[in-house]
Amino acid sequence: MALDYPFRDPALAALALTHRSAGRPNNERMEFLGDALLGAIVAEMLYETHPKAAEGEMSRLRAQLVNGQALASLARELELGDQLKLGSGELKSGGFRRDSILADAFEALVAAVYLDGGFEACRETVRALFVDRVAALPRSSKDAKTRLQEWLQGQGWPLPQYELVATEGEEHARVFEVNCVVTEPVAVVAPGRGSSRRLAEQDAAEVVLTRLAGVQEGS
């Protein structure tokens, strides 16, 4: 499958596929721009297709779609490995097959489309590439505590612990403060507040899900 975008300036596409091992100029700056564009456009798609999803759930879904392995898979579908310009060392070590190099090239190519045709052309190109992937995502209606527990169990990590920190206010207007504590994949202690202990735990679990999504995106 080839990228369905006709470049007016083919030099931009060539630069996007030039790894730093090949010298300068290379695609490092374009990777930075492409990463930001991808995040925004995929976020827009999730906002449209998951109208009931909370911020934490959308962050986790975006992390599933925009990560090194997923982007490398897209790069392989576009056969970018055969078009990469690599230095001799990377060529000998099979850099054209490496996930990190392929993912970076894909991000840079997204930036190249933006620089060549503007935001709307970039948006249309990215949405076409991700539409089936977004459609395949689960549409969860589960609460935050359930989603957090199931996600941790699926990774083989310890279950979260909930600690009551404080109870404030009169009995008819009580506010509960709870901490949700997880130890893997990173240590997180997240606060939550609610008019019942259960709602405070849900609030804290949502905070943990958001933070773990950020960890996944940065990995």
Side-chain angles (χ1 to χ4, degrees):
M1 178 179 79
L3 184 69
D4 187 20
Y5 176 78
F7 278 94
R8 293 178 294 182
D9 183 0
L12 284 169
L15 181 59
L17 298 173
T18 301
H19 187 253
R20 63 178 177 270
S21 63
R24 292 184 179 277
N26 57 54
N27 65 7
E28 285 187 309
R29 282 171 51 83
M30 297 175 81
E31 292 168 26
F32 170 80
L33 179 58
D35 176 65
L37 290 164
L38 274 172
I41 296 166
V42 171
E44 177 190 47
M45 296 178 74
L46 293 171
Y47 188 85
E48 293 170 354
T49 57
H50 292 69
K52 296 183 179 179
E55 176 190 1
E57 184 176 0
M58 288 193 292
S59 294
R60 288 188 304 105
L61 292 173
R62 182 175 60 182
Q64 290 180 37
L65 295 169
V66 184
N67 62 66
Q69 186 175 4
L71 298 185
S73 176
L74 271 165
R76 290 189 179 94
E77 289 181 22
L78 296 172
E79 300 179 351
L80 298 189
D82 296 336
Q83 305 171 55
L84 288 173
K85 184 178 180 181
L86 303 170
S88 58
E90 287 292 353
L91 276 172
K92 291 176 182 176
S93 64
F96 58 90
R97 292 190 296 265
R98 191 169 301 136
D99 276 6
S100 60
I101 290 178
L102 288 168
D104 288 346
F106 180 83
E107 289 176 338
L109 194 61
V110 168
V113 174
Y114 167 77
L115 294 170
D116 187 73
F119 181 74
E120 194 56 37
C122 179
R123 179 174 176 268
E124 290 179 5
T125 301
V126 170
R127 288 176 71 98
L129 290 169
F130 279 87
V131 63
D132 290 339
R133 286 168 166 78
V134 171
L137 290 171
R139 309 222 173 183
S140 175
S141 59
K142 296 176 182 177
D143 62 49
K145 284 183 66 176
T146 301
R147 287 187 278 117
L148 177 59
Q149 178 173 320
E150 290 182 351
W151 187 76
L152 291 171
Q153 283 179 323
Q155 304 296 323
W157 289 324
L159 295 180
Q161 300 296 316
Y162 296 91
E163 304 170 348
L164 181 62
V165 176
T167 306
E168 303 173 352
E170 301 293 333
E171 187 171 349
H172 66 280
R174 193 69 50 90
V175 175
F176 293 80
E177 293 186 9
V178 169
N179 280 342
C180 178
V181 181
V182 299
T183 56
E184 298 287 347
V186 292
V188 176
V189 179
R193 291 171 61 89
S195 57
S196 69
R197 180 167 180 170
R198 181 182 65 82
L199 290 175
E201 290 176 351
Q202 295 287 358
D203 187 45
E206 194 67 68
V207 174
V208 171
L209 285 165
T210 300
R211 293 185 184 176
L212 292 179
V215 171
Q216 281 189 290
E217 288 187 55
S219 63

